[in-house]
Amino acid sequence: MSVNKRVYRPYAGRYTSEKTRFLILPRYAYSSLFDSRFLLAFFVACNIPTLLFLAAIYFSHNPLAQAMLQMKGTEVFLKIDNGFFEKFLRFQGLLCFILAAWVGPGLISADLSNDALPLYLARPFSRTEYVLGKFTVLGALLSLVTWIPGLLLFAVQADLADWTWFSKSYWIAGSLILGSFIWIALLSLMALAFSAWIKWKLSATALMLGVFFALAGFGEAVNEILRTKWGKIFNLPAAIQLVWLDLFQVPMNSRFRGGAGDLPSWAAWAILLSFTSFCLLMLNRKLKAREVVR
Amino acid sequence: MIELEDLSVQLGKRLILSNLKASLKGRAIGLLGPNGSGKSTLINTLLGFHPPLSGTARIFGKDIRTHAKELRRVIGYMPESDSFISDMTGVGFVRYMAEISGLPANEAMERTHEAFFYVGLGEARYRKLGTYSLGMKQMAKLAQAIVHGPQLLFLDEPTNGLDPPARQRMINLIREIRDTPGMYLILSSHLLRDVEECCEEALILRDGKIAAYCNLDEERRSNRKFIEMETVGAKEEFSSAIEQLGCECAWFSNGRAKLVLPPSVEMRQLYNTAAQFSVQIRKINYRKDSLEDIFLRAMDGKFQPEKMKAQSNVS
């Protein structure tokens, strides 16, 4: 083929590596996602809390600045420990959820509603690579508001604090990464699974909100009616909170009594694992080049 | 090119393809059959979308079960249904598909432009696919199927919904691609004319089984033996000479004759004989076996390929 000659010619050039080919999907997805100024503005706004936490670290190491600003009674907030980073992750986790609910439901539904999946899978591109590519869209985006800024905060704190703090608290970095990964995996897989099952983006978003909030309400109703605590297994936000508390070794306080704290931490882990597996199963069932009517 | 080795495919609880066995050697093969005969399932299975229940198929000697990814690199697929991402521009979509096929970004862009000009959508390539007409969408589908320069092209109902000029353009493009050295294509269509115009061979499916597999040219040639001709200056000697060739001959008024040529006699010999006796052959008609005849015979279960006919005659 040639624009001028207009004849068909087979391709004889080189090919890109198959191992990194799934990264084409996020590249195209971002170019279309960030056409939306609202999303861009929100994404930038997601990093404002990081700046506030950064400021907290700065002030905690600068008594002069504290004195100049007459900061009294802020010792609890300025105490940089595992609880500080757990708070950071909890806050960013909420923003993550909003981002995932915004971006995720449109990722696969657009391909399915346009019947474009056979075009991907008729090429040297597998279903796994397709899911991995779509997962990377959300994974990279959510990483930029969770563990990446979290590690930045940790690095700044480690730099400003003495060696003793680092030697006692280095595990916080691992908790930060693991806690973020679990949340990102859960949100991304859920958004992709709903996107695959419900071809209409708005419905998929509504379902995602429903699973987080309506299901939690349902769990509470079960608790009330059956006078049990196991209704909490439907409460995903509570389960992730419990897992984070476990990871950051933050002791339970009254805030959690009657909440997620009612459940043992293994149950929280099991809930998240089950839900993630269920999402993978949904994706496996739905992502087929040709749907077979049985 | 494609070897079907007892290929059976089951979807749900239904057996869609049953023990298909054939060696498809032509460069352009038409896939024919009534609705539900398994044409699309066969294409989907060859693409690796459906796993075989038993048996297998080989494309260019490679097993579709074990070399699916490798094979898909050299395969282009134009599906029957509208398969697009409608909010992408034509050029963006085809480039995306080219990159997923493994072309580096620059080459993908270059070939996308070429493909769009090749299918005649050069001026519309920056428009969103959702705004394309049906004919343009078909051409864009062809562009995405050829952008990575495949060796084997699967075309599923490529002329669906096209008006006559657009259909002719599509047919011309398919023939041009078919005539490229080293290029093979499988065309599935319910329009016999499309297959007749583009393909050398036809594989006819019925109820998931092969009802006929034939070389269209051979089938057509086989029916040249029934000839009607109008001559000027034909005399007894000419008639005798033709009979000596082995033809059965019946003469009518005004130099009209009906002939049955044995398989060994070529048309050239008839012309040579006419020239020898200074006879002018003004008009000659031989009834061609159309693809429709072949198709209908296959549907009745009466089809016997020309090669097999010859073998049975010999025996």
Side-chain angles (χ1 to χ4, degrees):
Chain A
M1 282 178 293
S2 157
V3 173
N4 299 319
K5 290 179 185 169
R6 297 191 189 181
V7 289
Y8 178 79
R9 71 179 162 90
Y11 179 70
R14 67 181 183 89
Y15 289 93
T16 52
S17 162
E18 282 187 15
K19 286 176 189 163
T20 55
R21 204 169 290 162
F22 70 92
L23 293 173
I24 295 164
L25 270 63
R27 184 153 54 83
Y28 276 83
Y30 290 141
S31 73
S32 122
L33 281 174
F34 287 112
D35 277 349
S36 161
R37 287 182 189 173
F38 288 113
L39 181 66
L40 187 63
F42 180 72
F43 181 66
V44 172
C46 282
N47 282 307
I48 292 174
T50 306
L51 295 176
L52 297 177
F53 277 90
L54 196 63
I57 291 172
Y58 171 76
F59 282 117
S60 72
H61 290 282
N62 199 329
L64 188 61
Q66 284 181 45
M68 281 174 70
L69 293 172
Q70 297 178 326
M71 295 169 81
K72 284 179 184 169
T74 55
E75 293 79 12
V76 177
F77 183 68
L78 295 182
K79 192 180 172 197
I80 314 299
D81 57 4
N82 47 350
F84 176 87
F85 285 99
E86 190 270 333
K87 272 193 209 91
F88 167 78
L89 192 56
R90 192 148 28 97
F91 202 85
Q92 292 301 95
L94 178 66
L95 298 172
C96 250
F97 172 74
I98 298 170
L99 258 181
W102 190 336
V103 173
L107 285 176
I108 293 181
S109 62
D111 290 340
L112 290 182
S113 59
N114 288 295
D115 201 17
L117 210 53
L119 297 182
Y120 288 92
L121 302 181
R123 300 183 140 75
F125 199 70
S126 66
R127 285 195 315 155
T128 313
E129 285 168 313
Y130 179 81
V131 174
L132 196 61
K134 294 290 181 182
F135 182 88
T136 310
V137 177
L138 277 173
L141 205 62
L142 302 187
S143 292
L144 285 168
V145 293
T146 50
W147 63 272
I148 293 175
L151 281 186
L152 181 77
L153 292 180
F154 182 83
V156 171
Q157 165 64 13
D159 185 46
L160 294 178
D162 53 12
W163 174 251
T164 325
W165 183 90
F166 181 76
S167 60
K168 280 182 184 169
S169 316
Y170 63 90
W171 57 271
I172 292 175
S175 301
L176 204 55
I177 293 170
L178 186 59
S180 301
F181 278 8
I182 293 167
W183 188 228
I184 288 170
L186 177 73
L187 286 177
S188 304
L189 288 174
M190 195 192 329
L192 293 181
F194 292 166
S195 180
W197 272 81
I198 301 167
K199 291 180 184 174
W200 197 34
K201 187 184 168 184
L202 273 179
S203 308
T205 310
L207 183 64
M208 199 158 163
L209 295 172
V211 163
F212 268 84
F213 300 112
L215 210 58
F218 170 74
E220 287 306 315
V222 169
N223 279 349
E224 287 299 315
I225 293 164
L226 302 176
R227 297 184 185 284
T228 176
K229 61 181 180 181
W230 291 100
K232 290 251 169 357
I233 58 169
F234 296 108
N235 194 335
L236 286 175
I240 189 68
Q241 210 167 21
L242 197 59
V243 165
W244 283 339
L245 289 172
D246 196 23
L247 280 173
F248 284 95
Q249 298 174 19
V250 174
M252 298 282 176
N253 58 27
S254 57
R255 189 157 56 90
F256 295 105
R257 238 162 253 141
D262 282 350
L263 286 180
S265 65
W266 65 262
W269 283 93
I271 291 164
L272 297 184
L273 191 67
S274 314
F275 204 80
T276 309
S277 310
F278 179 65
C279 291
L280 279 171
L281 196 71
M282 282 171 82
L283 281 169
N284 183 45
R285 287 286 300 273
K286 200 66 189 172
L287 290 182
K288 301 232 163 103
R290 291 283 178 220
E291 200 163 355
V292 176
V293 180
R294 288 170 198 276
Chain B
M1 172 189 51
I2 298 178
E3 307 276 337
L4 304 175
E5 298 171 359
D6 278 323
L7 180 70
S8 296
V9 176
Q10 185 171 326
L11 301 181
K13 288 177 182 167
R14 286 170 53 223
L15 189 66
I16 308 292
L17 298 176
S18 172
N19 295 100
L20 302 190
K21 202 170 186 178
S23 175
L24 314 182
K25 294 204 168 81
R27 290 187 48 212
I29 295 161
L31 207 52
L32 291 168
N35 291 341
S37 59
K39 303 187 297 286
S40 295
T41 306
L42 178 58
I43 289 185
N44 289 335
T45 306
L46 292 175
L47 283 166
F49 294 168
H50 302 313
L53 176 71
S54 63
T56 189
R58 290 177 197 282
I59 301 176
F60 300 131
K62 287 175 181 159
D63 196 315
I64 57 164
R65 292 172 309 176
T66 51
H67 294 81
K69 215 168 178 183
E70 207 176 315
L71 283 168
R72 285 192 209 131
R73 184 187 278 183
V74 293
I75 290 176
Y77 173 50
M78 177 183 175
E80 180 185 1
S81 56
D82 271 0
S83 299
F84 295 114
I85 302 171
S86 53
D87 60 351
M88 283 182 100
T89 61
V91 79
F93 175 69
V94 175
R95 182 189 177 191
Y96 184 34
M97 289 295 127
E99 284 194 50
I100 287 174
S101 296
L103 272 65
N106 288 340
E107 275 87 340
M109 184 52 117
E110 189 185 328
R111 283 190 67 94
T112 298
H113 287 292
E114 289 176 2
F116 267 99
F117 276 97
Y118 182 67
V119 300
L121 289 182
E123 302 304 317
R125 64 194 193 280
Y126 287 108
R127 270 172 55 186
K128 291 215 166 171
L129 285 162
T131 68
Y132 278 17
S133 68
L134 191 60
M136 291 164 89
K137 281 179 182 170
Q138 289 292 86
M139 290 301 180
K141 272 199 287 183
L142 180 63
Q144 67 77 30
I146 61 172
V147 69
H148 55 294
Q151 273 178 273
L152 171 62
L153 202 52
F154 288 115
L155 304 169
D156 202 352
E157 307 281 0
T159 58
N160 253 9
L162 297 182
D163 59 26
R167 178 193 165 275
Q168 198 51 53
R169 267 204 311 277
M170 177 65 83
I171 293 290
N172 290 343
L173 281 171
I174 294 171
R175 288 161 75 163
E176 207 176 302
I177 293 169
R178 176 198 66 188
D179 293 336
T180 308
M183 190 69 199
Y184 297 87
L185 63 91
I186 304 273
L187 189 151
S188 165
S189 178
H190 65 277
L191 298 173
L192 301 179
R193 213 175 131 201
D194 289 356
V195 172
E196 203 153 27
E197 286 182 43
C198 298
C199 299
E200 296 168 351
E201 294 184 349
L203 179 72
I204 303 174
L205 295 176
R206 188 187 56 179
D207 299 331
K209 291 178 180 157
I210 295 177
Y213 173 54
C214 59
N215 184 302
L216 295 178
D217 278 343
E218 274 178 23
E219 292 301 319
R220 283 176 199 134
R221 265 202 303 273
S222 69
N223 283 304
R224 282 196 303 179
K225 55 190 174 187
F226 302 102
I227 287 174
E228 287 178 349
M229 70 180 178
E230 281 180 26
T231 58
V232 174
K235 291 179 185 163
E236 289 253 332
E237 305 86 71
F238 176 60
S239 178
S240 310
I242 289 176
E243 279 171 9
Q244 276 171 13
L245 285 175
C247 300
E248 291 175 34
C249 186
W251 287 92
F252 301 92
S253 58
N254 302 327
R256 288 186 298 117
K258 283 192 177 178
L259 280 79
V260 180
L261 264 67
S264 57
V265 176
E266 289 291 321
M267 287 298 290
R268 195 186 301 120
Q269 288 171 272
L270 199 64
Y271 287 116
N272 288 342
T273 313
Q276 192 186 333
F277 292 96
S278 306
V279 174
Q280 295 175 20
I281 296 177
R282 290 284 176 88
K283 195 174 174 183
I284 192 158
N285 280 331
Y286 49 90
R287 187 175 156 269
K288 278 185 182 176
D289 215 3
S290 70
L291 184 57
E292 194 176 350
D293 295 323
I294 298 169
F295 182 75
L296 291 174
R297 267 189 287 148
M299 288 301 106
D300 288 341
K302 292 175 185 166
F303 179 81
Q304 199 184 5
E306 194 49 37
K307 279 177 192 167
M308 284 169 67
K309 270 192 245 171
Q311 282 167 4
S312 59
N313 285 343
V314 169
S315 61

